[in-house]
Every structure is written in structure tokens, then in C-alpha cells.
Amino acid sequence: MTTVWDLVVVGGGPAGSAAALRAKQLDPDARVLLLDRDDFPRDKACGDGIAAHGRDELALLGLPDLIADYRPTQRLSVVSPGGVRVSATVARPNHVVPRLVFDARLVEAARARGVEVRRHRVRSLAAHDGQVLVDGEVRARAVVAADGAQSTVRRLLGVPPTPDRHTAIAVRGYADLPDADDAQLIAMQRAGWPAYAWAFPIGDGTANVGFGMLLPKLRATGLPGRRVLYGRLAELLPDLPARDLRAHHLPLSPGRPRPGVGRVMFAGDAASLINPLTGEGIYYALLSGRLAGEAAVTAPADPLAAYRRGLRRALGRHLRTTDVLARAAQSPGFIDAAIATAARRPEVFDLLVEVGLGAGTVPIPLAWSVVSRWLMGSLRGNP
Ligand SMILES: Cc1cc2nc3c(=O)[nH]c(=O)nc-3n(C[C@H](O)[C@H](O)[C@H](O)COP(=O)(O)OP(=O)(O)OC[C@H]3O[C@@H](n4cnc5c(N)ncnc54)[C@H](O)[C@@H]3O)c2cc1C
């Protein structure tokens, strides 16, 4: 007899592993299959920055110590497009863990929990008798599409890709860095704004370094993408020559699609869940994957409806906030004003971290104080 899987997950990145882990955590008897086109460990272009919120998700998945052997990073320096710098200690530390390690650990944890993991590239999908038929052979009551920024499943279901205006592209590499250097740096750029370079020390004598910008701004240069991205990275971080360069798209949340179709739920990058202000996507991937896995086993009659409700509860207000902020942030002067405010008020710095790396929202009085500073700056000719 053909197995009917309770859940088939396409993609073994953080979103897919979280979905599989959560389904087995809530129902150890659930039949869960995880498909990825690659074997693990596999590399993934990323800044490797895991916010404290991501660690909260790991704890919810029953893996509180998954990255405990990596050094916590407490210091964060942000330079605004106009050159305003704020350096502060974050309320809760971030971690930097190469994706080669992080994703493999997650997949291994899923396997240890009883998830069947197979190397398989998904190419077709069909709704059939209240089930989903994957590649004409695998039957599932629910599917989580966690197959990343260029999601095949999303395309197969006729859901358009994220529009270019809401898509960024970034390159990352690794560089040598003295162990003692433990502050994360985000240096925003006025040229080609919105654009920024980063250096995230890992704690092993190396740092993840990178540079990213919006796709239309890259195209507007009229130059080959690699030349622009690699060139600007080298120019912005001249003391940190990078190796293992690798670039990838970032579908940003203001361009997010509906959260799924029929019995298929989109999670992580396949759902365009990347923060438009910071490029953070691992926390959203873990969170959305967890909620999708949860919906598959707790609401088998209509998992997508349950997933939609869960997402709205967890991220609805936050995503509306970042939609508005992403529009305002088209003006570099707005970001200058926000960072200048954060430089004077530690509680504002913490709040910006919550919005940029977590599920935070902006209280009206603070929004007003930033907007008035921005307007003053505009009047002085700093748009
Ligand atoms: C350069 C760069 C820097 C970034 N820096 C950060 C950062 O520092 N911190 C942060 O939080 N976020 C960062 N992000 C965003 C982050 O990388 C993503 O949001 C995150 O990887 C999303 O996880 P995911 O599980 O949705 O997708 P992915 O991690 O992309 O995983 C998708 C998986 O699906 C598999 N797959 C694809 N197609 C198929 C198919 N047809 N069949 C089977 N399997 C398939 C792939 O092999 C892959 O394993 C960065 C992104 C980029 C590009």
C-alpha cells in the first residue's frame, strides 16, 4: 500500500526543518517526510546571523542548546547612510553560526526525532482526492513549501515570484579577523541606497562579511551583478578580503504572497518572509516553519486556514509595521533620523533591534519623534 504522509516538507533549510521538527514534537506518531535537493551539510549564502529571537524558536522546538557552543555576540555597531554611528550592547546576544553547520544540525535533529529525510528535487505537484501528490509518487495530507527564495513549489502552484522592487540581492564571504573582535557591524550606504555592508565575527578567527542591495538598484548600474556586488564589498571592507563568495536573492516581506494554496503552506523565504530593513530571515523561517508544521498535525482538515491564523497572530502587526517602515526607509534621511534617535536613547536602540530582528512594532510617540527629526533633516536639505 502507498504511504500517505501526514506532512511532506520540501526544503531542509531552517523553515523546513522547523516544520518537520514541530510536527513530530506535537505528534510523535505523525509520518513526516523531508525532501531536499541537496545532501547535508550544504552551504547557503547568508550572513549567518542568528538573532536571540531565532534562539527562542529553537527552544520552542525543543533544541535550546543547538548552537550553545558558538560565542554569543553582545556588541552591535550600526552606521546610518548619512554616517551617524551607534554602538551599543544588545539586550540579548546574537549568534553567528555558518549555515553549513546550522542547517545540518537542524536536519540531523529532525532525523533523530523520526523524520524521514530524503535527497530529492521536487519538480511537480498536484492536488488529488484531498491529498497532494508530489512528483507523481509521494502522497501527503499537507505540504510545507520551504524551498527557499526561488521556490519551485510556489511557481508550480501559479503564485508569482516576489516583485523585483521587493527583492534584494546580497553576496557573502568569509574573512580572517582577530578573535578579540566581537562586535557586529552593519554599515549602511547612501550610494545605491537601500544598501549595506556587514561584518559578523563568528568567534573562531573568522567573520562572515557581505554586501547587499535592492535588485532594481543593482540593475540600474547597467553592470554585471557580480562585478557590482563583489566590487562594493571589497571597497567597503578593504581590511577584510573575503573568500568563498556566494550571492543569493532575498525576497522581502512587503512583497509576500498569500501563505499557501489548498493543502500547501509556504514558509520562510518561499513565503517571502525576510525583514526589509535588515535582511533577517532565519527567525521568520523558524517561526513560520514551526507554525506550518503545527497546523499540519493539529488541523489536518484545513491546515492552511490554521496556518494563516497562526501567522497573523504571530507576525501580523509586525509585518504591517515593517511594510510602512520599508516605504519610509526609501529615504535615507529617515534612517539617519531613526539611528540618531537610537544613539541618544538606549530604549529606542533596543526597540529598533526588536523591529529589525524580531517581531517588534513601533509605538506611535516614537514614530512621531523619528518623523519630526526626519522632517527637520529634510528642511535642512538632508532628504
Ligand atoms: C547573502 C545573504 C545574507 C543573509 N544574511 C542573513 C543573516 O545574517 N541572518 C538572517 O536571519 N537571515 C539572513 N539572510 C536570509 C536567510 O538566509 C534566509 O531568510 C533563510 O535562509 C531562509 O530559510 P529557508 O529555510 O526559508 O530557505 P533556505 O535556507 O534557502 O532553504 C531552502 C532549501 O530548499 C531546498 N530546495 C530548493 N528547491 C528545492 C526543490 N525543488 N526540491 C527540494 N528541495 C529544494 C534547498 O536545497 C534548500 O536546502 C541572508 C540572505 C542572503 C542571501
Side-chain angles (χ1 to χ4, degrees):
M1 251 185 29
T2 325
T3 306
V4 179
W5 298 90
D6 295 304
L7 172 62
V8 169
V9 180
V10 185
S17 289
L21 280 159
R22 185 59 162 182
K24 286 299 271 184
Q25 185 183 35
L26 294 181
D27 180 359
D29 295 327
R31 281 155 301 179
V32 180
L33 174 65
L34 175 63
L35 304 172
D36 199 290
R37 65 183 175 197
D38 282 330
D39 276 328
F40 289 80
R42 62 101 181 88
D43 194 11
K44 152 80 178 81
C46 187
D48 302 335
I50 301 175
H53 311 78
R55 279 203 337 285
D56 295 343
E57 284 297 321
L58 294 176
L60 285 173
L61 292 171
L63 306 169
D65 297 325
L66 191 79
I67 55 172
D69 53 332
Y70 277 79
R71 180 181 74 182
T73 309
Q74 210 98 36
R75 305 278 308 159
L76 176 63
S77 284
V78 183
V79 184
S80 80
V84 182
R85 177 185 277 266
V86 53
S87 294
T89 299
V90 287
R92 298 193 304 147
N94 301 312
H95 283 71
V96 185
V97 183
R99 295 289 298 274
L100 194 71
V101 175
F102 183 59
D103 292 25
R105 286 186 182 182
L106 279 170
V107 168
E108 216 31 64
R111 206 193 299 269
R113 206 170 271 178
V115 172
E116 181 159 337
V117 180
R118 287 188 203 158
R119 183 175 185 181
H120 177 96
R121 179 192 287 266
V122 170
R123 291 194 164 86
S124 84
L125 212 75
H128 188 71
D129 273 352
Q131 295 170 0
V132 183
L133 188 60
V134 181
D135 286 334
E137 51 178 302
V138 174
R139 289 181 180 279
R141 290 187 220 287
V143 169
V144 173
D147 51 345
Q150 269 128 2
S151 171
T152 302
V153 174
R154 178 167 153 180
R155 180 173 47 75
L156 289 170
L157 291 170
V159 177
T162 308
D164 280 1
R165 68 180 187 286
H166 295 307
T167 302
I169 182 159
V171 63
R172 78 90 232 262
Y174 292 97
D176 294 328
L177 187 86
D179 265 9
D181 198 334
D182 67 347
Q184 295 192 331
L185 167 72
I186 296 179
M188 300 177 180
Q189 304 300 315
R190 193 170 257 270
W193 176 257
Y196 75 81
W198 71 84
F200 294 166
I202 296 173
D204 62 354
T206 65
N208 181 311
V209 295
F211 171 76
M213 66 195 303
L214 274 183
L215 203 49
K217 299 278 181 168
L218 177 74
R219 298 228 167 97
T221 64
L223 296 168
R226 274 188 190 195
R227 192 149 112 214
V228 177
L229 294 173
Y230 292 20
R232 289 205 61 193
L233 175 59
E235 175 193 311
L236 292 167
L237 300 174
D239 301 332
L240 296 172
R243 53 186 178 270
D244 298 335
L245 293 170
R246 191 183 260 253
H248 203 62
H249 286 98
L250 293 91
L252 306 174
S253 62
R256 62 195 174 278
R258 57 196 148 127
V261 176
R263 300 189 147 265
V264 181
M265 297 166 272
F266 304 140
D269 283 10
S272 303
L273 286 176
I274 295 190
N275 190 302
L277 304 166
T278 57
E280 192 284 334
I282 295 175
Y283 160 62
Y284 289 161
L286 291 168
L287 169 75
S288 58
R290 171 174 63 82
L291 293 174
E294 203 164 301
V297 294
T298 59
D302 190 356
L304 178 55
Y307 177 53
R308 183 180 280 117
R309 280 194 301 275
L311 267 185
R312 198 182 300 134
R313 256 196 313 271
L315 288 178
R317 282 188 59 217
H318 167 69
L319 290 176
R320 284 194 297 279
T321 303
T322 50
D323 287 350
V324 173
L325 289 178
R327 268 202 295 278
Q330 295 294 325
S331 156
F334 175 80
I335 295 293
D336 286 334
I339 292 181
T341 309
R344 285 184 303 113
R345 294 168 52 189
E347 79 282 9
V348 173
F349 180 84
D350 290 344
L351 207 126
L352 290 184
V353 171
E354 284 300 310
V355 173
L357 301 182
T361 58
V362 179
I364 301 286
L366 171 61
W368 179 241
S369 126
V370 171
V371 167
S372 20
R373 188 180 259 269
W374 174 30
L375 292 175
M376 296 293 282
S378 301
L379 290 175
R380 285 196 298 267
N382 179 23

